[in-house]
Amino acid sequence: MTLAQLPPYLRHEPALARVIGSRNAVLAAPEAVQPFVLAGLVTLSSQRPMLVATPTAGEAERLRHDLSAFLGEDQVLGLPAWETLPFERVSPSVATMGQRLECLWRLTNDPPLVVVAPVWSLLQSLAPEAGSRPPVRVRQGDTIDPEQLVRRLVDEGYRREYQVEHRGELAVRGSIVDVFPSTSDGAVRMELWGDEVERVTYFDVADQRSLGGPAELLAFGCRELLPTAEVRTRASELLASQPWGSHQWERLADGQFFDGMESWLPWLVDKAVLVPDLVGSGAQVVLVEPRRMRDRAAELGDEEASLASTLSETWAAGADPIRLEHLHADFDRLLERTEAATLSLVAVADSPSVPAVEASGWVSAQRDPAAIAARAGALARDGFSVVVCAEGAGTAARMSAVLGENGLEAPVRGVEAFRKGPGVSVVVQSVERGFVLPSAKLAVLTESDLTGRRRSHRRARPRARAVEGFFDALSPGDYVVHHVHGVGRYGGMAKRSIGGAQRDYLLIEYRGGDKLYVPSDQIDTVTPYSGGESPTLHRMGGSDFARAKAKVRQSVGKIAEELVALYRQRRSVEGHSFPVDTPWQAEMEEAFPWTETPDQLKAISQVKSDMEAETPMDRLVCGDVGFGKTEVAIRAAFKAVQDGFQVVVLVPTTLLAQQHFQTFSDRFAGYPVRVEALSRFLTAAQAREVVAGVSDGTVDVVIGTHRLLSADVKPKRLGLLVVDEEQRFGVTHKEAIKAMSVGVDVLTLTATPIPRTLE
C-alpha cells in the first residue's frame, strides 16, 4: 500500500505551477512538506528522472524513505557514497557498490522516477563503464553456458568459494551454481540440466538448504572499478611515470582484484565523469538547500586534501614529491556538464520573487494528544482530508483509539478512502514527518507527530567481508604478539635475500634492540595485540612471556572457580517469572521498522522463555554489529517494565550509552515508560535527579556506563540487567555486576564471544 494517490492533489498549488517546466528555478517549501512537494513535482512534470541531491547521507535516507511512500518503493532509488576514506586501502562494502551499480544502470537504461543521493556521492568520480554494465539475469527455463556464466560473475568481482555465505560470493558444485547477489538479501541457487536451468530458488546460507518457491537471479556487479583492458593499459603506463605506486599498478596491470583498488580510480581515468553528467536534457536535478550542500562539500573536500597532503609525504619516493589525485570534484563542477534542468529547493525564501509553498508542520503532541486531535478535527470540519500514518497495524489501531479517546473519529482504512471527501483516516504507512497543505486541502499526520517516536534510519550493516590477512590493517609501530617471543612492535615489511632468493618478511622489534624477521608465509605465528594501550615489550629469549602466560593460566582457573560459585548461587536463588506478552508488547514489537531475521526471532523467543521461567535468566546473545542485538534487549526490557520492574542497561562507553538512550527512547515513545541515561554528559544536578528516580522507582529503564555500578545507584525493583560488551569492563566492575545480578534476569550482548582478558 502506498500514498501514491496524494501527489496529484498538488495540481492546484500555485508555487509548483510556476516552476514546472523551468530550466533553472528556485522553490521554497517548509522542510516537513519537501518530500511531498518533490513527489508532486515529479508526478505532474514531464521532466524525468529527477536526481535529488542533499547535504548529508542522513537527509538523503529520510527523503528517500518519504518519497517511496508517495511514489512507490520501486520508483525511488538511493545512491550511497562509499563508506571508506579516500586513499584508504580498504574497499567499500559489496552491498554499497552493488547498490550504486544498480542505481547507475537504472539511471541510464530503465530510469526510476527519482534518485536521491548525498552531495558527496554525486561529486565522486565514476569508474569507466560504471553506468553501462547490465546485471546478470537468469530465470527458470533459460538456456545458458555455465562456464560463461561463472566467468562473467567473476569478471564482475564475485569471489568463487567452496560454499556461499556472504554477498558477492559464488560456488559451483556439479550442476548446482550458488550466487549471493550484491544487492540481494538472500542467496540464489540454480540447478542445471546440461545448459538448461531446471530450477531457481533461494537458499539459507546458514544451513545451505533450499527455501523452495520460484526465484530468479538478478546479480549486479560487486566492484565499481574493474580491471578492463583500458584500465590495465593505463596501469601499465603508470608503472613508468609513477613508480611510487608500482605495487598497485602491477596488480591492476595484471587484472587482479584486491582490497582498496578503488582508491586508485583518479589515476586510471583521463576525464572525471560525475552522476549528473549521465542524465539527459529531459531530466531534472534538484539541489536541496544548495548553500548547505556547498559548505558540506567544501568541508569534506578540505578533509580529503589534508589526507592527501599527509599521505603524499608518507608515500614519497626519495626526494620526488607525489601529487595525489582527488577522488571527488569541487562543488562548482557538479552541474557543469549536465544538460538537465535544475531546481534549488530551500526551506525559507530569501526573496519575495521566489515561489513559496504555503504549508506548516504539526507541533509535537507527545505529551498532549488532545491538542493535536482538536486541530485535526478542526481541519476535517474545514474540508480537509486528514491522513494519519502509522508504522504498523498495531500502532494504527492504537493511534485510532488515542484520537477516539480525545473526541475524534479516525477509523483505520485503506488509501482508496481518501478520495471520499473530508474526514480523518488512519493507514498503515511509514512517513517521517507530517504537514498541513491548505492549497490541496490535505493534512498528513505521522506517528512521530502524535507520539514523538522517530523512525530508525540505521540500516543493518552487511556482515564483515573476508580479508587477505590481519597485517593489511597494520601500520609500522603497531603492537603484535609472536606465539614464542611475545609482545613486540611491528616494524613493517622487509625484503631479504637468503641463498640468492629474495623473500618478504614481517619485521618485529623487541626490547633491547632485538629484531625478528618472520617469513610472510608464517603469518599465522603472529597475532595483533589487543590488550592495553601501551604494553611493555618482551625480550627475545627471555622468560617474561612465559611468566605472563603462566599468570594468565592461574587467572583463568580463578575466574572459572568464581563463575562456578556464582552460577551455583544463581541456580539456588528463586527468580521472578514474568507473565506472557501483553497487547502493548505486541504493538511495540510490530512497530519495528525492519524485518526480523530467523536468528533474531529465535533469540527473542528464547529470551522471553527464560524470563517467564522461575529461575533467573542468564543468557548471552552474540552477533555481529548491526545484526539486531539491541532489538532483542529492547523487547526484553519492555516485557520487564510491563510487569512493574526496572531495567538497568550497562554499556562500556558514554557514546554507546547515548546511542542506546536515543534508540530506547524512540522505541518506547508513546508508552508510559520513563527512560533515562546516566553518563558524563549529564550535569551533577541532572545525575542526582536520575539516581533519585532509579531509587524511588519512577525511572523504568536507566542506561549508563560504570557510573551505574556506584554505591548510590540502588534500583527499587530491579528485574532485568542488560550488559553490553561485558568483556570491555574491568575486574572491579565485573565484581559489582555479579553483586547486582544475583536473583535478577541477566541478558549479555556481545559481538566478541571470546573475552579479551583471556588473550
Side-chain angles (χ1 to χ4, degrees), residues 557-576:
K558 182 180 178 181
I559 291 172
E561 292 176 0
E562 292 177 355
L563 288 175
V564 170
L566 173 65
Y567 282 97
R568 184 185 298 120
Q569 183 182 9
R570 286 182 60 83
R571 284 294 181 184
S572 64
V573 174
E574 183 178 349
H576 175 73

PDB file of all heavy atoms in Angstrom, residues 557-576:
ATOM      1  N   GLY A 557      41.988 -20.052  35.855  1.00  0.00           N
ATOM      2  CA  GLY A 557      41.497 -21.010  36.838  1.00  0.00           C
ATOM      3  C   GLY A 557      40.705 -20.343  37.938  1.00  0.00           C
ATOM      4  O   GLY A 557      39.650 -20.835  38.366  1.00  0.00           O
ATOM      5  N   LYS A 558      41.197 -19.184  38.403  1.00  0.00           N
ATOM      6  CA  LYS A 558      40.500 -18.459  39.466  1.00  0.00           C
ATOM      7  C   LYS A 558      39.144 -17.959  38.975  1.00  0.00           C
ATOM      8  O   LYS A 558      38.133 -18.059  39.683  1.00  0.00           O
ATOM      9  CB  LYS A 558      41.359 -17.283  39.933  1.00  0.00           C
ATOM     10  CG  LYS A 558      40.740 -16.491  41.070  1.00  0.00           C
ATOM     11  CD  LYS A 558      41.656 -15.343  41.491  1.00  0.00           C
ATOM     12  CE  LYS A 558      41.004 -14.523  42.606  1.00  0.00           C
ATOM     13  NZ  LYS A 558      41.871 -13.389  43.013  1.00  0.00           N
ATOM     14  N   ILE A 559      39.133 -17.425  37.752  1.00  0.00           N
ATOM     15  CA  ILE A 559      37.875 -16.929  37.197  1.00  0.00           C
ATOM     16  C   ILE A 559      36.878 -18.066  37.048  1.00  0.00           C
ATOM     17  O   ILE A 559      35.688 -17.933  37.338  1.00  0.00           O
ATOM     18  CB  ILE A 559      38.129 -16.244  35.834  1.00  0.00           C
ATOM     19  CG1 ILE A 559      38.906 -14.944  36.034  1.00  0.00           C
ATOM     20  CG2 ILE A 559      36.814 -15.964  35.114  1.00  0.00           C
ATOM     21  CD1 ILE A 559      39.359 -14.300  34.741  1.00  0.00           C
ATOM     22  N   ALA A 560      37.362 -19.241  36.612  1.00  0.00           N
ATOM     23  CA  ALA A 560      36.472 -20.391  36.445  1.00  0.00           C
ATOM     24  C   ALA A 560      35.846 -20.793  37.774  1.00  0.00           C
ATOM     25  O   ALA A 560      34.650 -21.107  37.850  1.00  0.00           O
ATOM     26  CB  ALA A 560      37.248 -21.561  35.848  1.00  0.00           C
ATOM     27  N   GLU A 561      36.651 -20.800  38.859  1.00  0.00           N
ATOM     28  CA  GLU A 561      36.128 -21.143  40.175  1.00  0.00           C
ATOM     29  C   GLU A 561      35.054 -20.135  40.611  1.00  0.00           C
ATOM     30  O   GLU A 561      34.010 -20.512  41.151  1.00  0.00           O
ATOM     31  CB  GLU A 561      37.259 -21.173  41.198  1.00  0.00           C
ATOM     32  CG  GLU A 561      38.244 -22.319  40.992  1.00  0.00           C
ATOM     33  CD  GLU A 561      39.391 -22.248  41.978  1.00  0.00           C
ATOM     34  OE1 GLU A 561      39.402 -21.310  42.809  1.00  0.00           O
ATOM     35  OE2 GLU A 561      40.277 -23.121  41.928  1.00  0.00           O
ATOM     36  N   GLU A 562      35.319 -18.830  40.368  1.00  0.00           N
ATOM     37  CA  GLU A 562      34.347 -17.815  40.740  1.00  0.00           C
ATOM     38  C   GLU A 562      33.043 -17.976  39.957  1.00  0.00           C
ATOM     39  O   GLU A 562      31.950 -17.809  40.499  1.00  0.00           O
ATOM     40  CB  GLU A 562      34.930 -16.425  40.508  1.00  0.00           C
ATOM     41  CG  GLU A 562      36.085 -16.070  41.438  1.00  0.00           C
ATOM     42  CD  GLU A 562      36.668 -14.710  41.112  1.00  0.00           C
ATOM     43  OE1 GLU A 562      36.230 -14.108  40.110  1.00  0.00           O
ATOM     44  OE2 GLU A 562      37.556 -14.248  41.861  1.00  0.00           O
ATOM     45  N   LEU A 563      33.191 -18.310  38.674  1.00  0.00           N
ATOM     46  CA  LEU A 563      31.996 -18.481  37.852  1.00  0.00           C
ATOM     47  C   LEU A 563      31.174 -19.671  38.325  1.00  0.00           C
ATOM     48  O   LEU A 563      29.936 -19.623  38.352  1.00  0.00           O
ATOM     49  CB  LEU A 563      32.386 -18.658  36.382  1.00  0.00           C
ATOM     50  CG  LEU A 563      32.900 -17.413  35.659  1.00  0.00           C
ATOM     51  CD1 LEU A 563      33.371 -17.765  34.262  1.00  0.00           C
ATOM     52  CD2 LEU A 563      31.818 -16.343  35.588  1.00  0.00           C
ATOM     53  N   VAL A 564      31.844 -20.770  38.697  1.00  0.00           N
ATOM     54  CA  VAL A 564      31.127 -21.945  39.196  1.00  0.00           C
ATOM     55  C   VAL A 564      30.335 -21.583  40.448  1.00  0.00           C
ATOM     56  O   VAL A 564      29.158 -21.940  40.599  1.00  0.00           O
ATOM     57  CB  VAL A 564      32.111 -23.100  39.478  1.00  0.00           C
ATOM     58  CG1 VAL A 564      31.399 -24.220  40.234  1.00  0.00           C
ATOM     59  CG2 VAL A 564      32.684 -23.635  38.179  1.00  0.00           C
ATOM     60  N   ALA A 565      30.994 -20.842  41.369  1.00  0.00           N
ATOM     61  CA  ALA A 565      30.313 -20.433  42.599  1.00  0.00           C
ATOM     62  C   ALA A 565      29.143 -19.512  42.294  1.00  0.00           C
ATOM     63  O   ALA A 565      28.057 -19.622  42.893  1.00  0.00           O
ATOM     64  CB  ALA A 565      31.305 -19.747  43.531  1.00  0.00           C
ATOM     65  N   LEU A 566      29.344 -18.569  41.376  1.00  0.00           N
ATOM     66  CA  LEU A 566      28.285 -17.624  41.031  1.00  0.00           C
ATOM     67  C   LEU A 566      27.085 -18.350  40.424  1.00  0.00           C
ATOM     68  O   LEU A 566      25.940 -18.107  40.803  1.00  0.00           O
ATOM     69  CB  LEU A 566      28.825 -16.572  40.060  1.00  0.00           C
ATOM     70  CG  LEU A 566      27.789 -15.598  39.478  1.00  0.00           C
ATOM     71  CD1 LEU A 566      27.201 -14.740  40.590  1.00  0.00           C
ATOM     72  CD2 LEU A 566      28.425 -14.711  38.414  1.00  0.00           C
ATOM     73  N   TYR A 567      27.354 -19.259  39.489  1.00  0.00           N
ATOM     74  CA  TYR A 567      26.258 -19.954  38.828  1.00  0.00           C
ATOM     75  C   TYR A 567      25.542 -20.898  39.793  1.00  0.00           C
ATOM     76  O   TYR A 567      24.333 -21.093  39.693  1.00  0.00           O
ATOM     77  CB  TYR A 567      26.774 -20.710  37.601  1.00  0.00           C
ATOM     78  CG  TYR A 567      26.997 -19.810  36.418  1.00  0.00           C
ATOM     79  CD1 TYR A 567      28.254 -19.307  36.113  1.00  0.00           C
ATOM     80  CD2 TYR A 567      25.931 -19.426  35.609  1.00  0.00           C
ATOM     81  CE1 TYR A 567      28.458 -18.459  35.048  1.00  0.00           C
ATOM     82  CE2 TYR A 567      26.122 -18.577  34.524  1.00  0.00           C
ATOM     83  CZ  TYR A 567      27.394 -18.096  34.251  1.00  0.00           C
ATOM     84  OH  TYR A 567      27.588 -17.260  33.184  1.00  0.00           O
ATOM     85  N   ARG A 568      26.293 -21.485  40.732  1.00  0.00           N
ATOM     86  CA  ARG A 568      25.659 -22.329  41.747  1.00  0.00           C
ATOM     87  C   ARG A 568      24.701 -21.496  42.587  1.00  0.00           C
ATOM     88  O   ARG A 568      23.585 -21.907  42.896  1.00  0.00           O
ATOM     89  CB  ARG A 568      26.717 -22.976  42.631  1.00  0.00           C
ATOM     90  CG  ARG A 568      26.108 -23.942  43.662  1.00  0.00           C
ATOM     91  CD  ARG A 568      27.157 -24.476  44.618  1.00  0.00           C
ATOM     92  NE  ARG A 568      28.171 -25.236  43.905  1.00  0.00           N
ATOM     93  CZ  ARG A 568      29.468 -24.917  43.903  1.00  0.00           C
ATOM     94  NH1 ARG A 568      29.881 -23.830  44.551  1.00  0.00           N
ATOM     95  NH2 ARG A 568      30.340 -25.648  43.259  1.00  0.00           N
ATOM     96  N   GLN A 569      25.152 -20.281  42.943  1.00  0.00           N
ATOM     97  CA  GLN A 569      24.303 -19.396  43.740  1.00  0.00           C
ATOM     98  C   GLN A 569      23.075 -18.965  42.960  1.00  0.00           C
ATOM     99  O   GLN A 569      21.963 -18.924  43.486  1.00  0.00           O
ATOM    100  CB  GLN A 569      25.104 -18.182  44.200  1.00  0.00           C
ATOM    101  CG  GLN A 569      24.322 -17.222  45.099  1.00  0.00           C
ATOM    102  CD  GLN A 569      25.148 -16.009  45.483  1.00  0.00           C
ATOM    103  OE1 GLN A 569      26.237 -15.796  44.946  1.00  0.00           O
ATOM    104  NE2 GLN A 569      24.639 -15.215  46.413  1.00  0.00           N
ATOM    105  N   ARG A 570      23.269 -18.631  41.681  1.00  0.00           N
ATOM    106  CA  ARG A 570      22.149 -18.185  40.867  1.00  0.00           C
ATOM    107  C   ARG A 570      21.116 -19.295  40.681  1.00  0.00           C
ATOM    108  O   ARG A 570      19.923 -19.045  40.609  1.00  0.00           O
ATOM    109  CB  ARG A 570      22.643 -17.694  39.496  1.00  0.00           C
ATOM    110  CG  ARG A 570      23.337 -16.338  39.542  1.00  0.00           C
ATOM    111  CD  ARG A 570      23.760 -15.889  38.155  1.00  0.00           C
ATOM    112  NE  ARG A 570      22.610 -15.757  37.262  1.00  0.00           N
ATOM    113  CZ  ARG A 570      21.818 -14.700  37.204  1.00  0.00           C
ATOM    114  NH1 ARG A 570      22.017 -13.679  38.008  1.00  0.00           N
ATOM    115  NH2 ARG A 570      20.816 -14.662  36.355  1.00  0.00           N
ATOM    116  N   ARG A 571      21.595 -20.551  40.586  1.00  0.00           N
ATOM    117  CA  ARG A 571      20.682 -21.671  40.424  1.00  0.00           C
ATOM    118  C   ARG A 571      19.840 -21.908  41.676  1.00  0.00           C
ATOM    119  O   ARG A 571      18.720 -22.392  41.606  1.00  0.00           O
ATOM    120  CB  ARG A 571      21.476 -22.945  40.081  1.00  0.00           C
ATOM    121  CG  ARG A 571      21.971 -22.989  38.646  1.00  0.00           C
ATOM    122  CD  ARG A 571      20.805 -23.081  37.679  1.00  0.00           C
ATOM    123  NE  ARG A 571      21.267 -23.151  36.301  1.00  0.00           N
ATOM    124  CZ  ARG A 571      20.436 -23.155  35.260  1.00  0.00           C
ATOM    125  NH1 ARG A 571      19.142 -23.080  35.460  1.00  0.00           N
ATOM    126  NH2 ARG A 571      20.910 -23.206  34.026  1.00  0.00           N
ATOM    127  N   SER A 572      20.427 -21.584  42.824  1.00  0.00           N
ATOM    128  CA  SER A 572      19.725 -21.829  44.082  1.00  0.00           C
ATOM    129  C   SER A 572      18.763 -20.707  44.442  1.00  0.00           C
ATOM    130  O   SER A 572      17.920 -20.866  45.321  1.00  0.00           O
ATOM    131  CB  SER A 572      20.734 -22.024  45.222  1.00  0.00           C
ATOM    132  OG  SER A 572      21.480 -20.828  45.433  1.00  0.00           O
ATOM    133  N   VAL A 573      18.893 -19.559  43.818  1.00  0.00           N
ATOM    134  CA  VAL A 573      18.027 -18.414  44.101  1.00  0.00           C
ATOM    135  C   VAL A 573      16.798 -18.480  43.204  1.00  0.00           C
ATOM    136  O   VAL A 573      16.903 -18.717  41.998  1.00  0.00           O
ATOM    137  CB  VAL A 573      18.785 -17.086  43.873  1.00  0.00           C
ATOM    138  CG1 VAL A 573      17.831 -15.909  44.038  1.00  0.00           C
ATOM    139  CG2 VAL A 573      19.936 -16.966  44.848  1.00  0.00           C
ATOM    140  N   GLU A 574      15.646 -18.250  43.784  1.00  0.00           N
ATOM    141  CA  GLU A 574      14.414 -18.240  43.002  1.00  0.00           C
ATOM    142  C   GLU A 574      14.252 -16.886  42.319  1.00  0.00           C
ATOM    143  O   GLU A 574      14.333 -15.844  42.962  1.00  0.00           O
ATOM    144  CB  GLU A 574      13.209 -18.521  43.898  1.00  0.00           C
ATOM    145  CG  GLU A 574      11.901 -18.607  43.123  1.00  0.00           C
ATOM    146  CD  GLU A 574      10.716 -18.943  44.016  1.00  0.00           C
ATOM    147  OE1 GLU A 574      10.951 -19.310  45.192  1.00  0.00           O
ATOM    148  OE2 GLU A 574       9.568 -18.834  43.550  1.00  0.00           O
ATOM    149  N   GLY A 575      14.040 -16.901  41.019  1.00  0.00           N
ATOM    150  CA  GLY A 575      13.873 -15.668  40.266  1.00  0.00           C
ATOM    151  C   GLY A 575      12.404 -15.319  40.097  1.00  0.00           C
ATOM    152  O   GLY A 575      11.516 -15.976  40.634  1.00  0.00           O
ATOM    153  N   HIS A 576      12.167 -14.249  39.326  1.00  0.00           N
ATOM    154  CA  HIS A 576      10.796 -13.808  39.064  1.00  0.00           C
ATOM    155  C   HIS A 576      10.330 -14.371  37.730  1.00  0.00           C
ATOM    156  O   HIS A 576      11.045 -14.301  36.730  1.00  0.00           O
ATOM    157  CB  HIS A 576      10.720 -12.282  39.042  1.00  0.00           C
ATOM    158  CG  HIS A 576       9.359 -11.764  38.669  1.00  0.00           C
ATOM    159  ND1 HIS A 576       8.274 -11.821  39.520  1.00  0.00           N
ATOM    160  CD2 HIS A 576       8.907 -11.205  37.512  1.00  0.00           C
ATOM    161  CE1 HIS A 576       7.218 -11.306  38.926  1.00  0.00           C
ATOM    162  NE2 HIS A 576       7.579 -10.917  37.706  1.00  0.00           N
TER     163      HIS A 576
END
